[in-house]
Amino acid sequence: MHFVSELLADKGRHIFAVHPNSTVLEAIREMDRHGVGALLVIDSDELVGIVSERDYARRGILKGRKSDSTKVGEIMTRELITADLHGTIDECMGQMTEQRVRHLPVLEEGQVVGVVSIGDLVRVILARQASTIEQLSSYIKG
């Protein structure tokens, strides 16, 4: 597996999102319900941000904001780093490492088609390494 499109075909193109006017508490509940660490923030079918557990901790809790009255739009990350559906796994890993993010919305022709997480990429890379090790072991054994 080398491309984002292959990863999404394998894991699915589930998009979990909230509106910027949702409360942070609602967003945290959605993350818990789906077992994810971030949600896309979508307003009128437009991707306007991403809200993560990190955003909640740094811009919510540490600032003394109440999760039941603070809006997602107040703490979300607006400067989005995205991946292209036809990009490579290695490009995504490079972006995540360089930009210090854990989730990338995946776009195709400007539309959101999925999300990849650092965990998704690590699984692919570990599987790739295991396959390489197996091939080399078979080659050495003859």
Side-chain angles (χ1 to χ4, degrees):
M1 186 176 312
H2 298 287
F3 295 97
V4 175
S5 58
E6 295 170 300
L7 171 58
L8 289 182
D10 185 53
K11 85 168 229 176
R13 293 185 176 205
H14 308 290
I15 298 170
F16 304 116
V18 291
H19 190 272
N21 288 331
S22 298
T23 67
V24 172
L25 182 59
E26 291 169 330
I28 295 298
R29 284 183 177 147
E30 277 296 293
M31 286 183 218
D32 181 55
R33 186 165 79 92
H34 297 293
V36 297
L39 299 170
L40 300 183
V41 183
I42 297 179
D43 186 8
S44 302
D45 294 329
E46 181 184 346
L47 178 63
V48 295
I50 189 167
V51 64
S52 68
E53 294 165 330
R54 182 187 289 181
D55 293 323
Y56 174 59
R58 292 182 177 173
R59 296 186 192 125
I61 295 170
L62 289 178
K63 303 261 185 196
R65 294 180 166 163
K66 296 182 188 265
S67 57
D68 60 347
S69 60
T70 301
K71 302 296 183 192
V72 168
E74 296 174 52
I75 68 161
M76 71 183 185
T77 298
R78 296 173 187 277
E79 304 79 34
L80 292 170
I81 297 144
T82 62
D84 184 84
L85 181 65
H86 306 291
T88 68
I89 299 300
D90 294 332
E91 289 169 344
C92 287
M93 185 59 85
Q95 281 183 294
M96 287 182 166
T97 302
E98 184 178 311
Q99 300 296 324
R100 299 179 54 91
V101 297
R102 296 177 183 155
H103 301 87
L104 292 176
V106 179
L107 305 179
E108 181 179 35
E109 297 179 11
Q111 296 298 308
V112 178
V113 294
V115 176
V116 294
S117 71
I118 192 77
D120 297 331
L121 299 182
V122 168
R123 277 189 289 283
V124 168
I125 290 168
L126 289 176
R128 191 187 303 167
Q129 288 175 344
S131 175
T132 299
I133 290 168
E134 179 63 32
Q135 290 172 0
L136 291 172
S137 293
S138 294
Y139 176 76
I140 291 169
K141 290 177 184 176

